[in-house]
Amino acid sequence: MKINILTLFPNMFDGFLTESIIKRAVDNKKVDINIKNLRDYSKNKHKQVDDTPYGGGAGMVLMCEPVFDAVEDIKKKNTKVIMMTPQGKQYDQKMAEKLSKEKDLLIICGHYEGFDERISSIVDEEISIGDYVLTGGEIPAMVLTDSITRLLPGVIEEESKDNDSFTDNLLDYPTYTKPREYRGMKVPDVLLSGDHKKIDEWRKEEQIKKTKEKRPDLINNRKRKTIGKYSLIEDTSKKQIVNLNMDNAYKFSPKKKGVFDVNKVMIVEPTFISKVAKKNLQKKLGSLLNQVQIVLNDETDDEGASYVLGELDRMKALIISLYAKYLDQEYLSLLMIKLDALKNEVALKEMEKIETVNYNKKGRSR
Ligand code: ADE
């Protein structure tokens, strides 16, 4: 994976890149981290990249031109562009896991009082690392880079990721090392028993106990559903399924590194996956239909149609790349026909609008 970081303060990354696990991951070519100085993209003779805000107010605002130029220079076809800002979506382990599957990231470190709003148009995702304001996006960019890099295959032991805090929305279990007793505090007997089944059970119980105690919000947001022999745990705050389990499912944790790039595998009946896939698709389609309806009924909005056309194309691509394998052929072709019909309607509407604009222009010039 390649991680490009666009910053006004490249030196801030020196220590980060030259110590510990990140250094080893870079040396072993598990990740390529490329620090780019935003000032190199300034056309101004003073290398200025920010200016005062229109309408007044304190601080300096990052200008469009150097950022647009930098992104256009660095970005490749498959690059995901991320802006670090306190206004972004709050970062969590699930997002780290998703981003670790990308091939190429470009992280822009915002600075001072913020950035020109138009920069958002070239950004795929705005991310915040928490509800507090830092002086810049450099530390947040390091947080992202660190949490993503440790998830890349071969960076840390696969087993140590299995029980990470926040995996399945639970905190990690307590761990102990030598000595067996320290200042009167003893290591729990079960950990010295050598009985791995008991140790696993104890650890799971402790995870739940610890999460209830320290982060009850993680537990309270978990809704358990049972469908036949399956149990689903949904995080209602994120509307995400965080755990899927099945009685007597065949589960295993691959041990041999380099052969598998997964931590755990569970064999589940395809019909069940298809049910979950259809439910997710229905939700996505619902919100897309709303957008289509708005475009078809709004005579004033000039750009909505091309945006919705893009969304419809993205939906088709998502279905093909992610959902198709879980859906039966009949359902899939019907879905594609529906999406094409929607695309035709929106494209027609867009043409009508263009013709009206041209007609009005001609009318005016005559
Ligand atoms: N820049 C300043 N504060 C930030 C935050 N909390 N998250 C991401 N970027 C930021």
Side-chain angles (χ1 to χ4, degrees):
M1 171 190 256
K2 182 163 185 180
I3 305 180
N4 304 281
I5 300 175
L6 188 60
T7 169
L8 279 170
F9 302 100
N11 294 343
M12 280 181 78
F13 292 85
D14 288 353
F16 173 66
L17 294 175
T18 52
E19 294 288 343
S20 188
I21 293 171
I22 301 298
K23 174 180 172 11
R24 209 174 57 216
V26 172
D27 290 348
N28 294 339
K29 305 214 170 349
K30 304 291 178 200
V31 64
D32 177 10
I33 302 176
N34 181 23
I35 309 290
K36 286 284 207 179
N37 192 340
L38 181 59
R39 251 178 243 289
D40 292 344
Y41 292 91
S42 169
K43 294 199 177 101
N44 186 295
K45 70 173 180 214
H46 303 295
K47 296 274 170 210
Q48 189 188 348
V49 289
D50 49 17
D51 213 331
T52 50
Y54 279 125
M60 301 291 271
V61 177
L62 215 50
M63 293 192 291
C64 284
E65 194 180 34
V67 180
F68 272 64
D69 286 351
V71 171
E72 280 156 15
D73 178 43
I74 301 164
K75 189 177 161 154
K76 291 201 217 69
K77 218 171 120 200
N78 60 355
T79 306
K80 190 174 177 93
V81 183
I82 293 166
M83 167 68 95
M84 301 313 307
T85 157
Q87 298 150 33
K89 182 172 170 198
Q90 183 139 345
Y91 193 56
D92 63 14
Q93 189 64 19
K94 276 259 142 34
M95 286 163 80
E97 277 159 22
K98 212 165 149 207
L99 289 176
S100 72
K101 310 269 175 352
E102 296 284 339
K103 290 270 168 288
D104 203 286
L105 296 176
L106 168 54
I107 307 177
I108 308 172
C109 308
H111 213 64
Y112 301 129
E113 298 304 308
F115 53 90
D116 189 306
E117 198 61 33
R118 290 165 290 190
I119 292 173
S120 293
S121 66
I122 51 164
V123 165
D124 296 311
E125 204 166 349
E126 293 182 11
I127 297 180
S128 160
I129 59 158
D131 288 342
Y132 40 81
V133 182
L134 302 168
T135 54
E138 280 69 21
I139 293 171
M142 288 182 220
V143 168
L144 244 71
T145 306
D146 189 286
S147 55
I148 292 167
T149 301
R150 70 182 284 285
L151 292 175
L152 298 176
V155 173
I156 59 169
E157 277 183 52
E158 293 304 314
E159 289 79 6
S160 58
K161 290 182 224 165
D162 280 5
N163 298 302
D164 272 352
S165 285
F166 310 113
T167 307
D168 300 346
N169 262 22
L170 289 176
L171 298 181
D172 198 359
Y173 51 72
T175 51
Y176 298 84
T177 185
K178 293 176 193 78
R180 284 184 178 205
E181 188 174 336
Y182 183 70
R183 298 194 180 184
M185 294 177 282
K186 287 187 181 153
V187 174
D189 287 339
V190 62
L191 296 178
L192 310 170
S193 68
D195 183 338
H196 286 282
K197 193 165 174 281
K198 265 202 187 137
I199 293 175
D200 283 348
E201 281 166 10
W202 178 85
R203 284 180 167 162
K204 196 84 213 172
E205 277 166 26
E206 287 298 311
Q207 273 192 286
I208 295 169
K209 205 164 102 188
K210 199 165 149 187
T211 313
K212 275 185 183 160
E213 219 173 86
K214 299 190 175 175
R215 289 291 306 274
D217 55 309
L218 292 177
I219 296 255
N220 292 343
N221 289 335
R222 286 157 66 97
K223 208 162 98 192
R224 185 182 285 274
K225 270 188 224 162
T226 311
I227 308 175
K229 52 193 174 212
Y230 303 97
S231 70
L232 280 178
I233 298 177
E234 191 185 351
D235 183 334
T236 50
S237 67
K238 296 186 197 123
K239 296 196 168 59
Q240 256 172 3
I241 291 169
V242 290
N243 189 298
L244 163 63
N245 230 321
M246 177 192 172
D247 301 342
N248 305 323
Y250 183 52
K251 298 167 208 166
F252 64 95
S253 302
K255 287 276 178 286
K256 228 174 172 174
K257 275 175 244 148
V259 176
F260 300 97
D261 60 354
V262 289
N263 298 335
K264 245 183 209 145
V265 175
M266 180 165 65
I267 314 291
V268 179
E269 252 172 53
T271 51
F272 182 73
I273 303 181
S274 151
K275 251 190 228 168
V276 175
K278 282 181 185 169
K279 209 174 138 200
N280 283 349
L281 267 175
Q282 232 43 55
K283 239 190 217 166
K284 285 194 198 306
L285 270 176
S287 82
L288 204 50
L289 266 174
N290 274 343
Q291 294 179 34
V292 170
Q293 222 133 36
I294 292 170
V295 166
L296 294 182
N297 294 327
D298 186 351
E299 298 301 329
T300 54
D301 181 6
D302 290 339
E303 276 156 20
S306 59
Y307 171 77
V308 170
L309 279 175
E311 288 294 292
L312 285 163
D313 273 335
R314 264 191 286 282
M315 181 76 179
K316 284 183 72 177
L318 182 76
I319 292 170
I320 291 163
S321 64
L322 189 69
Y323 289 94
K325 54 183 176 285
Y326 305 122
L327 303 171
D328 53 88
Q329 199 51 47
E330 197 187 331
Y331 182 92
L332 186 63
S333 33
L334 213 67
L335 194 59
M336 287 304 184
I337 291 170
K338 270 191 206 162
L339 285 170
D340 282 334
L342 287 174
K343 271 184 71 179
N344 283 343
E345 273 202 60
V346 177
L348 264 174
K349 187 74 184 176
E350 196 183 26
M351 293 259 290
E352 265 175 33
K353 277 183 191 161
I354 293 170
E355 275 168 16
T356 316
V357 171
N358 286 344
Y359 176 81
N360 285 344
K361 270 191 202 154
K362 270 190 211 153
R364 239 184 280 130
S365 62
R366 252 187 250 130

